Amino acid sequence: METTILICFLVYTILLFAITRITSKNASNSTYFRANKKSPWPVVAYGMIGASISGVTFMSVPGYVQTSQFTYFAFIIGNVLGYALIALILLPLYYKLDLTSIYTYLEKRFGFWSHRSGSFFFIVSRLMGSALRMYLVVFVLYEFVFKAWGMPFWIPAFVFIVIILLYTLKGGLKTVIWTDTLQTTFFLLATIITLYLILRETGCSFGELMKNATDAGHTKIIETDWKAGSFFWKQLLSGMFITIAMNGLDQDMMQ
């Protein structure tokens, strides 16, 4: 098990640096910060799936679905509505003002201190959020691979930080767009492989698996009890506003 996980990690890392090498050729400041504004939109859209889904989501949502069934789907519908509002309202504004940092708009609209405050809170939230997400990924790898080898936790953590710095240092945003595409692909592959292994271990077809889940009462999609935390409209509206806040108003995603 440890060897298989390590091989997957090494293959993924090699692919990251191969992409970095290709995308960093003839890189300039415009390439680093805005990818020369020439990235294919299907690639950006596909890559944003992986960029918006962290390891925290990938590992925690299945556990949430176990207790709340598929009522989480309303949250996904809200995500789609949120992205539609971003595309219709925020993106045209950002392009019209030709912004490198979306927080420049705050200065144009509300003044210097509004700009600085928005930038400051973005940096603080990004540092805390990215640190937590990276910690979770490193912790999982440590528990399943490096711990059995007697390796201290700080070593894989340090290696991860170095890898991230190296593959983003040269190519900038152009590199991130294509590595996010790679990340999305691996997310989807992991989902497909997981489903295949579940079906193989249970000896069921997909239809039989869904029938068994339905009979056991695990496939509820719409929660009609307005007092419940998974109430349909609560999930939908929260999904929409969270998407707008975490993507449309976030420098990392909008850049």
Side-chain angles (χ1 to χ4, degrees), residues 3-248:
T3 303
T4 302
I5 295 174
L6 185 61
I7 290 173
C8 291
F9 169 71
L10 292 175
V11 169
Y12 186 82
T13 303
I14 291 170
L15 288 173
L16 279 181
F17 282 102
I19 292 173
T20 300
R21 181 175 177 81
I22 295 170
T23 57
S24 63
K25 290 181 179 179
N26 303 317
S28 62
N29 282 339
S30 179
T31 304
Y32 190 91
F33 290 107
R34 301 199 291 184
N36 296 323
K37 299 176 69 174
K38 294 181 180 179
S39 299
W41 73 262
V43 175
V44 175
Y46 180 75
M48 283 188 71
I49 298 173
S52 59
I53 301 175
S54 68
V56 177
T57 303
F58 194 75
M59 288 183 280
S60 64
V61 169
Y64 176 79
V65 170
Q66 182 181 11
T67 58
S68 63
Q69 304 180 51
F70 289 97
T71 55
Y72 186 80
F73 186 68
F75 184 87
I76 304 303
I77 298 174
N79 290 163
V80 175
L81 294 177
Y83 278 119
L85 291 174
I86 291 171
L88 293 173
I89 299 174
L90 294 179
L91 281 180
L93 175 64
Y94 297 152
Y95 270 93
K96 179 181 178 181
L97 297 175
D98 193 30
L99 303 178
T100 298
S101 166
I102 64 172
Y103 301 112
T104 306
Y105 173 73
L106 293 177
E107 184 170 15
K108 294 176 181 288
R109 183 71 174 82
F110 300 108
F112 174 85
W113 288 110
S114 178
H115 176 204
R116 290 296 186 269
S117 297
S119 301
F120 172 76
F121 283 111
F122 162 73
I123 292 173
V124 172
S125 63
R126 180 56 56 184
L127 285 173
M128 295 175 64
S130 297
L132 176 61
R133 286 186 282 271
M134 190 183 75
Y135 170 78
L136 179 62
V137 173
V138 176
F139 179 78
V140 171
L141 275 175
Y142 176 74
E143 287 293 317
F144 283 93
V145 180
F146 302 111
K147 187 177 182 179
W149 297 348
M151 186 180 296
F153 178 80
W154 69 267
I155 294 179
F158 177 77
V159 170
F160 263 74
I161 293 172
V162 171
I163 290 173
I164 292 170
L165 289 175
L166 288 176
Y167 87 77
T168 57
L169 184 62
K170 197 170 183 181
L173 185 61
K174 186 176 180 181
T175 297
V176 170
I177 288 171
W178 287 98
T179 53
D180 281 347
T181 300
L182 179 68
Q183 179 174 300
T184 300
T185 302
F186 270 73
F187 268 137
L188 295 177
L189 280 175
T191 303
I192 294 170
I193 292 171
T194 300
L195 180 59
Y196 166 75
L197 291 175
I198 291 173
L199 294 176
R200 189 184 69 177
E201 291 298 319
T202 57
C204 298
S205 65
F206 181 75
E208 291 172 336
L209 184 68
M210 292 305 298
K211 183 179 183 303
N212 292 337
T214 301
D215 293 340
H218 294 309
T219 55
K220 183 178 182 180
I221 296 178
I222 299 177
E223 176 58 71
T224 57
D225 181 7
W226 67 272
K227 295 180 181 180
S230 57
F231 178 53
F232 178 83
W233 289 106
K234 289 180 183 178
Q235 292 276 39
L236 187 144
L237 291 174
S238 64
M240 181 177 69
F241 286 113
I242 286 174
T243 295
I244 293 172
M246 294 186 63
N247 296 286

